[in-house]
Structure formats: structure tokens, C-alpha cells
Amino acid sequence: MPLTPVIAVHLTAALAALVIGPLAIWARRGGTQRTRVHRAAGYAWVTMMLATAISALFIRDYQLPNWAGYTWIHLFVPVTLAGLFGAFRALVLHDIARHRKIMQGLYVGACLGAGAFTLLPERYLGQLVWGQWFGLL
């Protein structure tokens, strides 16, 4: 599968979310609350996660086991969208603990978890990293 514009957008947004996420989490840790940094990084992270989830809908893989071109990793799309909705709903309800739990769970699951799955050898990014960059495949 070639690097199409949709894959480039998806990859860029996912990598940006991977980098921005810890900044948003760090800004609300410890004794010093960095509310402006937290909000700015949080909105940027949410934007990147939305871009990642929406662009994933346009990426299909008919080589792996699939349903209409959608593979099991596409299950992260509704999970991500539902998680973002739930996190903002928690904010509206002033349930900060729930907001924190959902957002941290999304970072671990949707960024780190999905990111790890994309590095499997049979996936496009896994072939790129392990095969072309490191020459292991």
C-alpha cells in the first residue's frame, strides 16, 4: 500500500497526538496547575485524535481479514469518538475525576495501544519501520 494523502494525514495526526498527550497530562499534575497549557494542549490533542479517527475511516485494507475493507483496528474509531464525547460530557457535569480517567485511558488505549498494533509486521507501518527502515523483514 503506498503512502497516500489520507495515510499521511492519519499518520501525522496520530504522531502529533502521541507527542501532545503527555503535555496535556503533565500540565495538570503535581502542585502547580498549568490550566492554560492543559487546555491548549488538550484541545490540540482532541483535534489530532478526531483527525486520526476520521481519517482512519478512509483507510481500507483488503489484504488482512476485513469487513468491507475495515479491519479489527478500525474498532478504535468508535471507541475514540465515544471516549471523547464521554470526556467532554464529564467536564460539562463537573466530574473532573471521570474526565481525567477517560482521557488517560484514551491516551493509553487509542494512542499507545493502537500505535503498537500498527507496528505489527503485517501492517503497512510495521512493514515500513521493520522492513524498509531496519531491514528486519
Side-chain angles (χ1 to χ4, degrees):
M1 180 184 296
L3 182 63
T4 64
V6 172
I7 293 174
V9 166
H10 180 77
L11 183 58
T12 302
L15 290 174
L18 189 66
V19 171
I20 295 169
L23 177 61
I25 293 170
W26 165 81
R28 293 299 276 185
R29 290 265 183 203
T32 305
Q33 299 292 312
R34 299 165 191 87
T35 305
R36 287 184 146 172
V37 174
H38 174 74
R39 284 188 180 167
Y43 280 120
W45 185 80
V46 166
T47 302
M48 292 300 103
M49 289 302 291
L50 285 171
T52 302
I54 292 168
S55 63
L57 294 173
F58 298 97
I59 300 171
R60 306 251 181 109
D61 188 347
Y62 295 98
Q63 305 300 318
L64 295 175
N66 68 83
W67 183 65
Y70 294 112
T71 63
W72 57 270
I73 202 164
H74 285 90
L75 293 174
F76 280 105
V77 172
V79 168
T80 298
L81 296 176
L84 291 173
F85 176 80
F88 277 97
R89 186 170 187 274
L91 279 180
V92 169
L93 298 174
H94 303 288
D95 190 348
I96 303 304
R98 183 172 182 176
H99 169 76
R100 180 183 300 120
K101 184 178 179 181
I102 292 171
M103 291 304 251
Q104 288 175 349
L106 274 176
Y107 182 77
V108 170
C111 281
L112 300 179
F117 286 128
T118 62
L119 292 176
L120 292 174
E122 67 270 5
R123 304 213 43 95
Y124 172 75
L125 193 58
Q127 291 173 1
L128 179 68
V129 170
W130 306 120
Q132 291 182 10
W133 292 355
F134 294 128
L136 299 175
L137 297 178

